Amino acid sequence: SLFRLKDLEVAELGDSDVHVKMLAAPINPADINMIQGTYAILSPLPAVGGNEGVGEVLEVGRRVAALKPGDRVIPAGAGLGTWRTQGVFPEEVLLKVPSDIPVLCAATLSVNPCTAYRMLADFETLAPGDSVIQNAANSGVGQAVIQIAKASGIKTINVVRDRPDLPKLVERLMALGADHVVTEEMLRKPEMKDIFKSIPKPRLALNCVGGKSTTDMLRHLQPKGTVVTYGGMAKQPVMVPVSAFIFRDLRLRGFWMTQWRKDHAQDQEGLASMMDAVCQLIRRGQLTAPACTEVPLQDYKAALEASMKPFTSSKQILLL
C-alpha cells in the first residue's frame, strides 16, 4: 500500500506559525484521487494525506494576531495534509471556526457543505418553492444540499443508485429533509410526471456521477436550466442530446471548490459570509455532519478500504 504511519518531528514554531493538535479528519473521494494521481492537485511525495479536518491551536508564533491557544481551526485551502496528530502551519493557511460547532461538523465543514452552499447560490437564482435535482444524493455534498435547500424552502429531487437497503436510505434522506428520492431507473419512468404535479420542474441539476445518470436527469430540467458538474464517479463523460441545447437551451457548467477559494482569495467578506451562513445552519440544527464512522488513526488501513467500497453511505472520519 502507498500508506505508512510515520512518526515525524514537529517543525519549529516560526513567528507567523501556528502549532495545531489535529482532532478529526475525514477521508473524502478527492483525497483518494489525489493519492492515485488522478486529481488536479498533486502533492510532491512523500506527503501527508487529507485535505479537510479540524484542530485545536496549542501555541502561536509572536506575529500571529488572529489566533490564540484553544481556538479551533480548519484548513483554508486544499493540500494541508490533515491526517496527522499535530502540525505546524503558517497562519494564513488556517481558518478559525467557532468552538460551539460539534467536532464532526467542523471536521467536515470546509469541503462538502461549502460546495453545496456555493452550487445552490452561484448558478441559478432560486426562490422558496423552486426545485433542484441531484444525483449521488447520499454523498456528503448530497446530504448537505438536501439540508441547505430545505432551510431555504427549496424542494429537492434526489437520485440514488438502486441498492439492497434502498428503503433504509430513502428513509434517512427523507429524515434530512429530502422531498423526493428516486432511483436512476425511475428517472426514465412515466411516473416522474407525478412528482411535477406538486412541485415545479427544476432549473438546477447537480451532477457528480456523469454518464447515463446525468443524461436522464437533464431531461427533467426546465428550459434554460443549468447542469453543474462537480464530480464524475461513473468515470463516464456527460452526454447531452443536441435537442436539449437547441430547443431547451440548457447550460452546462462546472464547479470545483478549490478553484472557488483561489478565485476568492482576496474576497474575505465572501468567504466569511459563507462560513457564517453554514455555521448558523449547524447551530440551528438545520445542517448536520454526514453519516460518519469514527476510526482511530492507527486503524487508517481499514478506514481507507471502507471509504472505497461501493454504496458507502457513511463517511470515514479519522480521530487523531
Side-chain angles (χ1 to χ4, degrees), residues 114-115 118-119 122-123 228-231 253-257 260:
C114 292
T115 299
R118 293 264 56 104
M119 291 194 303
D122 294 352
F123 295 93
V228 181
T229 293
Y230 68 99
R253 300 286 307 272
F255 183 78
W256 188 30
M257 194 65 222
W260 187 92

Side-chain angles (χ1 to χ4, degrees), residues 91-160:
E91 177 184 19
E92 70 267 16
V93 303
L94 301 170
L95 281 180
K96 185 175 165 175
V97 285
S99 299
D100 62 344
I101 301 293
V103 166
L104 292 185
C105 288
T108 53
L109 185 68
S110 59
V111 179
N112 294 335
C114 292
T115 299
Y117 182 89
R118 293 264 56 104
M119 291 194 303
L120 287 169
D122 294 352
F123 295 93
E124 289 283 344
T125 311
L126 299 170
D130 284 344
S131 77
V132 300
I133 188 167
Q134 63 165 345
N135 56 22
N138 58 313
S139 67
V141 172
Q143 293 174 57
V145 165
I146 290 170
Q147 296 173 84
I148 295 169
K150 170 92 173 168
S152 327
I154 294 159
K155 309 288 182 197
T156 56
I157 302 153
N158 301 282
V159 185
V160 296

Side-chain angles (χ1 to χ4, degrees), residues 74-77 92-96 109-110 114 117-118 257 260-279:
I74 62 173
E92 70 267 16
V93 303
L94 301 170
L95 281 180
K96 185 175 165 175
L109 185 68
S110 59
C114 292
Y117 182 89
R118 293 264 56 104
M257 194 65 222
W260 187 92
R261 288 185 194 280
K262 277 188 195 139
D263 295 346
H264 292 79
Q266 303 312 312
D267 172 22
Q268 286 310 311
E269 231 166 284
L271 180 63
S273 79
M274 169 174 72
M275 297 312 280
D276 287 348
V278 172
C279 287

Side-chain angles (χ1 to χ4, degrees), residues 10 12-14 69 78 87 94 123 129-130 140 156 160 180 291-292 305 311 314 316:
V10 175
E12 227 163 276
L13 189 73
L94 301 170
F123 295 93
D130 284 344
T156 56
V160 296
H180 299 275
C292 289
E305 270 166 32
F311 299 124
S314 187
Q316 304 291 311

Side-chain angles (χ1 to χ4, degrees), residues 166-206:
L166 185 66
K168 214 161 67 185
L169 176 61
V170 172
E171 194 183 323
R172 211 177 54 154
L173 297 182
M174 298 300 272
L176 288 179
D179 295 282
H180 299 275
V181 182
V182 299
T183 62
E184 293 187 334
E185 291 69 35
M186 279 171 69
L187 283 176
R188 294 189 280 280
K189 301 255 163 76
E191 291 86 272
M192 280 297 288
K193 287 195 183 73
D194 298 340
I195 290 180
F196 301 118
K197 285 175 184 156
S198 58
I199 63 173
K201 287 204 153 190
R203 284 218 307 276
L204 180 65
L206 306 177

